[in-house]
């Protein structure tokens, strides 16, 4: 690994980390879609999976602009969150309780992404990589919306159903 000298180097590192995260998330989402019983929750995961494909492409585009390879880093944090979700999905739980738990796991993913994209966006602006910043800002909004959508589903109905 070459020495990281500047904020630009750190930005590149962060983009690779996010690229690894999105790749792993894309892999994990079909299992969460399968496991969800509530149709609104299923739909929320499905539509976020479609968005996630676009997010991966945006990172590829950002890396192209910076002339770097998006591969080469493994996001261990997302690997951990996903492995926790996989363990949880093996639990013997009522469907309503499973749904509430899937939201809990999903929001952990979104919060990690919000932190990652927020930081990378800030770096991109700082180093004057406006095109990269625009790409990151678009994804950051989607991650925030996805988190809010999950939050609304939990508060409006799914947590209540899990109490019964
Ligand atoms: Zn790292
Ligand atoms: Fe994402
Ligand atoms: Fe990471
Ligand atoms: Fe996301």
């Amino acid at each position: 690994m070459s020495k990281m000298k500047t904020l630009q180097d750190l930005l590149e590192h962060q983009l690779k980390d996010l690229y690894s995260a999105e790749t792993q998330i894309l892999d994990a989402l079909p299992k969460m879609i399968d496991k969800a019983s509530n149709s609104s929750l299923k739909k929320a995961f499905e539509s976020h999976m479609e968005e996630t494909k676009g997010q991966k492409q945006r990172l590829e585009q950002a890396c192209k602009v910076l002339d770097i390879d998006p591969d080469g880093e493994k996001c261990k944090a997302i690997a951990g969150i996903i492995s926790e979700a996989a363990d949880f999905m093996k639990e013997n739980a009522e469907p309503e309780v499973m749904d509430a738990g899937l939201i809990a796991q999903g929001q952990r993913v979104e919060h990690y992404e919000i932190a990652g994209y927020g930081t990378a966006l800030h770096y991109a602006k700082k180093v004057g990589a406006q095109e990269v910043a625009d790409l990151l800002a678009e994804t950051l909004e989607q991650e925030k919306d996805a988190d809010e959508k999950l939050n609304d589903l939990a508060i409006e109905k799914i947590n209540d159903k899990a109490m019964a």
Side-chain angles (χ1 to χ4, degrees):
M1 240 169 277
S2 57
K3 186 170 177 181
M4 285 193 264
K5 299 192 193 84
T6 63
L7 199 66
Q8 172 90 24
D9 297 333
L10 189 56
L11 169 63
E12 293 175 2
H13 183 90
Q14 298 286 335
L15 292 178
K16 285 164 178 275
D17 183 85
L18 285 166
Y19 189 70
S20 163
E22 297 291 13
T23 304
Q24 295 181 65
I25 291 163
L26 212 45
D27 216 55
L29 271 169
K31 293 159 208 158
M32 297 181 72
I33 292 167
D34 267 1
K35 203 75 187 166
S37 300
N38 181 279
S39 64
S40 308
L41 179 59
K42 230 185 228 297
K43 256 182 250 157
F45 282 146
E46 276 164 357
S47 85
H48 197 51
M49 182 164 163
E50 281 317 301
E51 285 179 334
T52 302
K53 291 176 188 166
Q55 296 173 352
K56 235 190 115 171
Q57 284 169 356
R58 253 175 247 130
L59 286 169
E60 284 163 6
Q61 216 176 315
C63 287
K64 207 168 166 187
V65 170
L66 298 173
D67 199 27
I68 54 164
D69 183 354
D71 286 309
E73 271 290 324
K74 174 162 183 189
C75 178
K76 290 179 183 157
I78 277 292
I81 294 173
I82 287 174
S83 132
E84 195 176 286
D87 285 348
F88 173 70
M89 287 190 282
K90 285 184 214 139
E91 295 278 354
N92 179 14
E94 288 293 334
E96 292 82 3
V97 174
M98 179 54 68
D99 281 348
L102 288 172
I103 292 179
Q105 299 296 334
Q107 285 195 280
R108 281 171 166 77
V109 171
E110 299 316 318
H111 284 217
Y112 181 82
E113 293 184 288
I114 290 166
Y117 278 105
T119 301
L121 171 59
H122 186 82
Y123 293 167
K125 282 183 182 160
K126 201 85 185 158
V127 303
Q130 194 52 50
E131 201 181 337
V132 173
D134 291 343
L135 289 162
L136 296 173
E138 198 178 329
T139 297
L140 179 60
E141 278 317 299
Q142 288 183 336
E143 307 297 18
K144 286 182 182 169
D145 289 348
D147 177 54
E148 215 168 294
K149 174 88 212 188
L150 290 174
N151 214 31
D152 289 348
L153 282 172
I155 290 167
E156 283 163 18
K157 46 187 163 187
I158 291 178
N159 287 351
D160 283 334
K161 286 187 178 165
M163 281 178 76

